[in-house]
Amino acid sequence: MTTEPDPFDDLTLDDDFVSGGVKEPTADERLQKARRIARSNDQLRASGEISDGSGKPRFHRVKKSAPWIIIGIVAASAIVVVALIAR
């Protein structure tokens, strides 16, 4: 145990403390906001501003690593050729 005093000893959890906290929206308010966002997204999708994902390009890691694979194959082939010539 430590001999330091507890920093929360003077804290009183009364109505003033609770009322001073962050106010969260009610479930109905969150639902209304979600519906507004969905309507806006539907309007943007209808006008062509938002893609539906059908034509979205996929991330291909092969494209980034393909040059390195080719460089590795060429380097390995060169090492084998040099080793065979040096015999």
Side-chain angles (χ1 to χ4, degrees):
M1 292 195 76
T2 63
T3 58
E4 296 178 20
D6 189 359
F8 299 107
D9 280 341
D10 296 332
L11 182 64
T12 305
L13 302 177
D14 56 1
D15 289 335
D16 291 334
F17 177 82
V18 174
S19 65
V22 177
K23 305 289 188 241
E24 293 188 8
T26 64
D28 289 334
E29 292 169 340
R30 292 192 309 264
L31 183 59
Q32 289 174 1
K33 181 180 179 183
R35 286 180 179 160
R36 275 195 316 272
I37 292 170
R39 274 194 310 271
S40 296
N41 287 344
D42 289 342
Q43 291 171 353
L44 290 172
R45 189 174 293 113
S47 67
E49 296 290 325
I50 294 179
S51 173
D52 62 357
S54 61
K56 183 177 179 184
R58 289 182 284 170
F59 177 75
H60 293 290
R61 187 160 181 86
V62 176
K63 289 182 182 179
K64 290 186 176 184
S65 63
W68 291 106
I69 292 172
I70 294 170
I71 291 171
I73 291 172
V74 169
S77 300
I79 291 172
V80 169
V81 169
V82 169
L84 291 175
I85 291 174
R87 282 176 117 189

